[in-house]
Structure formats: structure tokens, C-alpha cells
Amino acid sequence: MASNASKGKNAVFLFVFLVLTVLCWCPIGYGSYGEVGLIMSMPSWAFILLLIGAVLFVIEWGFLFFSDLALYDEDLQPIMDELLKTIEQETIKEVN
Amino acid sequence: MLAAVIITGICLVSVFISYLAFSKGFTKNADDYFTAGSSLGYFILIFSLLASFLSAFSMFGMAGFGYRLGFGSLYVLTANLVPLGFLWYYMHKKTFLLGRARKWMSMGAPFGERYGTPMKIILVLVVLVSSIPYVVAQIQGIGVMLETMTEGLISYRVGLFFVPLFIALYLMMGGMKGAAWINAAQGVFFSIMVFILFFFVMMKNGGFAATMDQVLAKHPTLFQIGWSGGKVWSYPMIFGMASAMCLGCVCFPQPYMHAYASRSVRGLKAMFLSFGGICLVVITLPTIIGIAGTLIVPGLKGVEADKIFGLVASATMPDWLAALAVSGGFAAAMSTVNGLVFGNATNISVDIIKTLRPQTKPLELIFLARLWVALIMAACVVIAWNPKTPVAELSVIAFGTVAVTFFALWGAYYWKRATATGAILSTLVGVSMNIAFFVAGGKNMVLFPQASLFQLNGFLASFIIAGMVFFVGSFLTSPGKTEEKSLGLFFHPVLSK
């Protein structure tokens, strides 16, 4: 159940990430050729681009530091223990 | 004279920092020398990774771009790099975890364990061949900057020896820890100088809003996309450049080296996240400085526009502060050379020499890496000897060439069915396509949309074909013993989070 919830959250994050990444790479929907209006003395599309970049940064921050989807330092030791156990077993298998 | 003193000062401080790493015993064994003993904290990691990527282009080149092409330049190195926060984490989380468990020291290690020795060696050679023009371009830039800043006191060719000698010295002495400390110091320095210059440039015309209003009145196209009949900053041009710069960053040696050197998960995540965030601010500023430069130093054409950063500094700041601001770009070039030369020397020593001669002892490995630092620097100086050698043009394909290893890396960590044949074929096809596009149509074909490529640029076309070759090649071949054996570790259930 918990795993399903994580998968769902992961899917939502990935979807938002992909959409915002495309918007950071192309002005689809917020930039058109020719004359433009200004926001804070910048072209509106440039301001929106920087804003989208800032929003994506905050979302990534949330994913990496405040969600249960990313890796944390308290996970590191158990992971290392398991990996080292596997490496040891593989080495023994190779020697035999 | 003042500029010569400042630049010599930067070089001497860098050597001193490296000496500190050396004297504190941080280069005594191979693990310490190549990965800083996995001991770097997040502040050093953040600025070291930043500085190792941001070259002189990010200061002088972006100001020149802003001057000539306006706000559309923001798609080259600012918001388009923010996705790296997640992309790097996703692609290099296993580099960090498996690297720590397996004591990896070089970027070929994951490829070697997953696909076997041929792929490891191909990867190292591809990265080396694509890095050298990029490093030479930096060294050429350093030579030209030195000659210009010192008004001929240090000639181009003396500059070629002067700075690379310092760089080789401190890389050989301080290893990864020394390089990271120097990168971090240089990264902080050029970031601060960009802020100061931005402030002075905006104040020259009565503040940011007043400056932009005047630019808009004189050069309205700088505020537009799709100008010059839809040729400049068209949607395909923006997408091609923005995605190329971002995807290219994933596969260079720097994120591998910094992932191995990270002390903690927190440091790893902070480093990857901060890069895009800092670029969003720090690279936006030189771009806008360039745009404002159209008012302060009007009428520059072509490559002359790349001098706008230094020219507006001279026009708006006291001499000593202008020299410091331009030295920021100089420091950025040096730190990029650090990252690439050290990464390649490590790859050659660990991935090629240690593979061909397994009995090589750790201390011999350190000696060999130091030797390779000196050899790579010497080779780059020789290539840069003629300032007209078109390496700056050639360095355009560096990102595209390295980026085609993206699929092999992704497959190593996330696709059990990936095979060595698929990885090798996709890398070779992708690299060959980049080179073919460059030979056929120069940098325009690599960077700008082509009707013959469905409005993709050469970079993206090579990247997409490399991906298709990887999947088809892997499906058509069976995983060998090496691939089968690697699955237990690379797809261990504990790595699934």
C-alpha cells in the first residue's frame, strides 16, 4: 500500500518535472514571435522563463530534501551493509 | 601591470591552497588522491562542481550572446540547466552508492563493471578526445585574456606556459581535494565579481528598469524571440540549444568525480540541486550585462562582441575593480581546465593503465595520474600554440560527443536488458554522427536547426539516433557473462529508493 502511494507520488513528480523541463527548454505557451509586453522591465516570456526555472528548482528541492522519495543519510549505512554483503558473497563465489 | 599582479595572485593562491591539501596528507593513497577520500562537504562540492563546469564562455561568451542576440540567450545556460537538479540525482545516485561500495575512482568504472573492458576503454577515449578541444579553447582564451589584460606585458605564448604550468602544478600536488578547494575558491570569486559588475553596469544608466527601457527603445529585437524573419531564437533553435547544453552536462567526468568525493547523501543532493539554481542567477547576470552593454559600448560586431564583459567593466568601474571583474572570467576558465584535466588523467590511469596492468600499485597509480596531468596540459599547450587553430569551433562538438553516452549510463543503472553491444554501438554511432555533422556543415550544423534533419540540430539528431541504436542493439543481442554478473549489484533491491 505504502509502495503504491510512493509510486503515485513519484509519477506525479515525474509528470510535473517533465512539463516544467520542456517549458525551460522551449517557450511553448508563453512566448510568441514579434513584439512582447514587459514584466519587471524584461520581456514577459523571459520573466516567465526565469519564474518557471525558480519553480522547478523549488519542486526539485522538495523532492530531494522533503519527500520520502529520495535518498537520505540515514539510509546510507543499511544500503552500504547490504551492498558490501553482496560483494563479499560474489567474491567468495568467484574464488570457489 | 595591475592585471598581471592580480592574475599572478590568483595562480599563487591556487597553488597555496593545493599545497595545503598536499601538506595535510590528503594525497597519500589512491582513494585520497582520486576521490578526496569521499570527504568533501556540501559547500565545497556545490562551488567546485559549479566552477568545474562554468568556463570563460559562461562569463564573456554569455555577455557577448546577450549583446548580439538579446534575452533569448537566457535559454543557453540559465533556466535550461535547472532540470539538472533531478537529472543528475537520478543518473548518478547509483554512481554515488555503488562507487562508495566498490571504491570506484573514475568514470569508466560503472561502464567497465556493467558492460566489460571494451566499453570502459571506448568511453575513456571518447571523453578524452572530446575534452581536449574544450580544454585547449580555455587555454587559448587564457592566453588571449592575459595578453589583452596586461596590454602585451605577458604575450599570448608566454601566457600559454605561465598559467598551465600553475594549473599542472596544483593538480599534481593536491589531487581531487586540492582541485575541489581551488575550484570552490575560484567559483565563489567569479560569482561575487559578476554581482558587483552587474550593479555597476545598471547604475551607469540609472538602474535596471531605466537601462532596460533605453535598450528596448534602441534595440527592440533584443527583447524578442523569432526575430530576423523567424531565424533567431526560433522555437527549434531554442529547444536544440537548451536541451543540448543540459543533456551534455550529465555525461562529463565532473559529476562522477564529485559523486565519488561526496561525504554524505545531503552533500550529493545539495551539489546537484544548487548547480541549476546558481546558474539561474549567476549566468543570467552576464547575459543582462551584455544586453545593457549595447548602450555603454555600442556598435561591436561579430566576435568583437565577446569583449563586451571587459569593456563595460572598464567603462563603469575603477581600474582595479575592473581588473578583478575580468579576472573572474579568467578564474572560471582555470577551474574548467582543472575539472577536465584531472578527470581525464584519473580515467586514463585507473581505467586504462590499471586495466591493462592490474598489478599496478596504488602509489604508482598516483604517480601515473600526475604524469598524465602534465602530459595532457603539455599536449593542450602544443595544440594551442597557434592562436588561429580553430579549437574553439571544434569544442562545440564536445558536449554532443559526450552526451551520446547518456543511454549507456542509463541502461547500466536502470535497464537489465542493456547489453555491451548496444552500449558500444550507440556510443560509436553517436560520436561518428557528431563528427560527420561537424565536418559536413561546421558548428552551424551541430548547433542550429536543419531542414534536412526535421528542424533538429546535429546534436539532437545524433543523440536520438544513439538512443535508438542502444535499444535496438540491446534487443538484438543477448547479455553476456559480464552483463549477467553485474545485475546482482547494479539492480540490488536496496538501490530501488
Side-chain angles (χ1 to χ4, degrees):
Chain A
M1 197 66 181
S3 170
N4 280 344
S6 285
K7 276 183 187 166
K9 274 196 266 182
N10 229 337
V12 170
F13 170 78
L14 278 179
F15 177 75
V16 174
F17 173 78
L18 280 175
V19 170
L20 292 178
T21 296
V22 169
L23 293 176
C24 283
W25 288 355
C26 195
I28 297 172
Y30 64 90
S32 54
Y33 295 179
E35 285 184 22
V36 287
L38 298 183
I39 303 177
M40 308 256 299
S41 300
M42 295 162 72
S44 55
W45 54 264
F47 180 83
I48 294 170
L49 168 70
L50 296 178
L51 193 66
I52 291 168
V55 170
L56 179 55
F57 176 81
V58 171
I59 289 172
E60 286 177 337
W61 190 352
F63 174 86
L64 291 173
F65 289 96
F66 300 103
S67 77
D68 54 358
L69 302 170
L71 197 64
Y72 289 89
D73 276 311
E74 47 270 33
D75 304 323
L76 191 56
Q77 199 49 51
I79 291 175
M80 282 300 122
D81 291 343
E82 284 294 321
L83 291 177
L84 291 173
K85 207 191 295 175
T86 305
I87 292 167
E88 203 177 316
Q89 284 166 354
E90 282 182 357
T91 312
I92 291 168
K93 219 187 282 177
E94 264 176 36
V95 170
N96 292 333
Chain B
M1 188 63 192
L2 181 66
V5 171
I6 290 171
I7 288 164
T8 309
I10 290 173
C11 291
L12 289 175
V13 168
S14 301
V15 171
F16 177 70
I17 291 171
S18 180
Y19 175 73
L20 281 181
F22 178 74
S23 65
K24 285 180 182 286
F26 292 135
T27 59
K28 278 187 179 161
N29 60 52
D31 190 35
D32 283 343
Y33 186 78
F34 293 115
T35 68
S38 300
S39 65
L40 298 183
Y42 63 90
F43 179 81
I44 296 290
L45 285 170
I46 288 169
F47 279 95
S48 177
L49 182 70
L50 180 82
S52 68
F53 265 106
L54 298 188
S55 60
F57 174 75
S58 50
M59 305 283 121
F60 304 131
M62 286 308 295
F65 253 55
Y67 185 93
R68 286 184 287 122
L69 303 173
F71 275 97
S73 312
L74 291 177
Y75 284 100
V76 179
L77 274 185
T78 65
N80 63 311
L81 299 185
V82 176
L84 281 172
F86 176 71
L87 266 182
W88 264 337
Y89 170 76
Y90 175 72
M91 295 297 281
H92 289 296
K93 181 181 70 176
K94 288 190 181 181
T95 305
F96 170 75
L97 292 171
L98 293 172
R100 183 167 285 218
R102 297 289 288 138
K103 301 264 177 230
W104 287 343
M105 294 186 279
S106 61
M107 75 180 284
F111 294 89
E113 284 210 18
R114 184 74 175 89
Y115 300 122
T117 303
M119 178 61 199
K120 178 163 74 171
I121 291 177
I122 287 170
L123 178 97
V124 171
L125 295 177
V126 165
V127 173
L128 179 68
V129 169
S130 55
S131 299
I132 281 185
Y134 201 57
V135 173
V136 175
Q138 302 303 316
I139 292 176
Q140 277 186 336
I142 287 170
V144 172
M145 267 189 271
L146 265 176
E147 193 171 51
T148 311
M149 287 171 70
T150 60
E151 291 166 347
L153 189 68
I154 300 175
S155 70
Y156 172 78
R157 285 185 176 160
V158 172
L160 285 189
F161 278 106
F162 183 70
V163 177
L165 193 73
F166 277 108
I167 296 176
L169 182 65
Y170 64 64
L171 285 181
M172 288 159 74
M173 196 160 53
M176 180 64 192
K177 193 144 204 162
W181 283 357
I182 293 163
N183 280 350
Q186 291 172 344
V188 170
F189 173 65
F190 70 65
S191 300
I192 291 172
M193 291 321 300
V194 165
F195 273 95
I196 295 174
L197 178 60
F198 182 80
F199 175 79
F200 272 86
V201 169
M202 293 307 145
M203 284 302 109
K204 176 86 176 171
N205 287 295
F208 179 73
T211 304
M212 290 301 118
D213 287 346
Q214 290 174 54
V215 175
L216 179 62
K218 282 192 173 177
H219 308 284
T221 52
L222 296 184
F223 282 60
Q224 295 171 11
I225 51 175
W227 50 281
S228 189
K231 282 185 194 155
V232 180
W233 301 126
S234 62
Y235 275 29
M237 177 182 168
I238 289 174
F239 184 76
M241 282 213 179
S243 57
M245 297 308 284
C246 185
L247 293 170
C249 287
V250 176
C251 305
F252 267 99
Q254 294 96 317
Y256 291 84
M257 307 304 293
H258 285 82
Y260 298 147
S262 175
R263 184 196 306 157
S264 63
V265 178
R266 184 185 164 83
L268 181 88
K269 293 191 294 187
M271 161 178 77
F272 288 158
L273 174 71
S274 303
F275 183 86
I278 296 175
C279 285
L280 188 65
V281 179
V282 169
I283 310 301
T284 297
L285 299 186
T287 312
I288 297 178
I289 287 170
I291 294 169
T294 54
L295 298 176
I296 301 166
V297 189
L300 301 177
K301 301 280 180 207
V303 289
E304 286 293 302
D306 289 341
K307 293 180 182 165
I308 190 64
F309 191 91
L311 292 173
V312 290
S314 301
T316 59
M317 296 171 124
D319 285 350
W320 65 272
L321 200 52
L324 273 175
V326 178
S327 301
F330 180 83
M334 281 177 79
S335 53
T336 303
V337 175
N338 300 347
L340 283 174
V341 171
F342 188 75
N344 278 292
T346 302
N347 290 346
I348 295 170
S349 310
V350 178
D351 290 331
I352 295 186
I353 296 175
K354 177 80 177 161
T355 304
L356 298 176
R357 192 171 169 271
Q359 69 272 28
T360 308
K361 292 177 184 150
L363 284 179
E364 288 176 315
L365 218 53
I366 296 176
F367 171 77
L368 287 168
R370 286 177 165 145
L371 190 65
W372 275 104
V373 165
L375 287 174
I376 294 171
M377 288 303 300
C380 291
V381 169
V382 170
I383 299 169
W385 193 250
N386 178 359
K388 293 203 169 87
T389 308
V391 281
E393 303 275 307
L394 203 57
S395 67
V396 164
I397 61 171
F399 274 71
T401 311
V402 175
V404 298
T405 63
F406 184 95
F407 299 98
L409 178 65
W410 174 82
Y413 290 149
Y414 293 105
W415 193 34
K416 289 184 180 177
R417 189 61 184 74
T419 68
T421 311
I424 290 171
L425 279 179
S426 80
T427 304
L428 294 180
V429 168
V431 169
S432 307
M433 284 184 68
N434 268 294
I435 294 170
F437 286 141
F438 185 78
V439 170
K443 71 173 181 182
N444 284 352
M445 187 144 189
V446 178
L447 288 179
F448 299 111
Q450 303 292 317
S452 56
L453 299 173
F454 305 102
Q455 291 302 325
L456 294 172
N457 58 19
F459 169 95
L460 277 182
S462 311
F463 187 78
I464 292 167
I465 298 291
M468 289 161 70
V469 170
F470 176 69
F471 288 109
V472 173
S474 293
F475 271 124
L476 293 180
T477 53
S478 304
K481 274 185 189 165
T482 308
E483 293 98 302
E484 295 285 2
K485 190 185 152 208
S486 66
L487 294 181
L489 195 61
F490 279 68
F491 292 86
H492 197 291
V494 291
L495 296 172
S496 60
K497 185 174 181 182

